[in-house]
């Protein structure tokens, strides 16, 4: 729908704008899918939103989504009582990454609060809406 509406709104230029936004949305969250930190549906959802927004706003929405997702994820773990385990795991990742001189990810142990999934679509919606609200306030 984003590509169709972009094409209707701006013709060929709009279609290219929509593809650019979809690509930014896709590539912005793809590393998290590769690390198994989120599902493919969330990545496709961000790409679809990017098609509506265009590349510049899609980039801002991806950044806002990542920040929002981090906050929501930390709150989720805190409420589930897994903050100490998560802090220890991230300290281990930092130590291992420093020694190996490349980023090393340590998966959360099965059954821990950090291993539970939360609906990342909520972070995508809140991050995107925050960018759209900021854009709207700029034009007032």
């Amino acid at each position: 729908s984003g590509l169709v509406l972009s094409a209707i709104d701006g013709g060929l230029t709009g279609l290219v704008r929509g593809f650019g936004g979809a690509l930014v949305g896709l590539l912005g969250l793809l590393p998290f899918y590769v690390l198994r930190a989120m599902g493919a549906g969330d990545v496709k959802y961000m790409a679809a939103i990017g098609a509506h927004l265009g590349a510049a706003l899609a980039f801002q929405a991806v950044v806002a989504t990542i920040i929002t997702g981090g906050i929501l994820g930390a709150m989720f773990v805190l409420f589930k009582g897994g903050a100490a385990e998560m802090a220890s795991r991230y300290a281990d990742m930092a130590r291992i990454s420093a020694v190996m001189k490349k980023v090393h990810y340590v998966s959360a142990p099965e059954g821990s609060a950090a291993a539970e999934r939360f609906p990342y679509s909520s972070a995508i919606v809140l991050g995107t809406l925050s960018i759209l609200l900021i854009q709207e306030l700029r034009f007032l």
Side-chain angles (χ1 to χ4, degrees), residues 2-22:
L3 295 176
V4 170
L5 291 174
S6 292
I8 290 170
D9 185 46
L12 183 58
T13 303
L15 183 61
V16 169
R17 181 181 150 283
F19 269 115

Side-chain angles (χ1 to χ4, degrees), residues 85-133:
E85 181 277 324
M86 188 173 82
S88 172
R89 191 167 51 86
Y90 276 89
D92 289 345
M93 282 189 271
R95 255 190 317 278
I96 294 167
S97 295
V99 169
M100 295 175 66
K101 295 188 179 7
K102 68 177 189 173
V103 176
H104 180 77
Y105 182 75
V106 177
S107 298
E110 197 170 314
S112 70
E116 288 186 41
R117 298 236 180 228
F118 77 95
Y120 204 80
S121 59
S122 56
I124 295 171
V125 168
L126 290 173
T128 301
L129 286 177
S130 69
I131 292 305
L132 293 175
L133 178 63

Side-chain angles (χ1 to χ4, degrees), residues 24 55-65 127 131 134-135 138:
V24 167
L57 279 178
F59 178 77
Q60 293 174 34
V62 165
V63 171
T65 292
I131 292 305
I134 290 168
Q135 279 297 114
R138 284 184 187 166

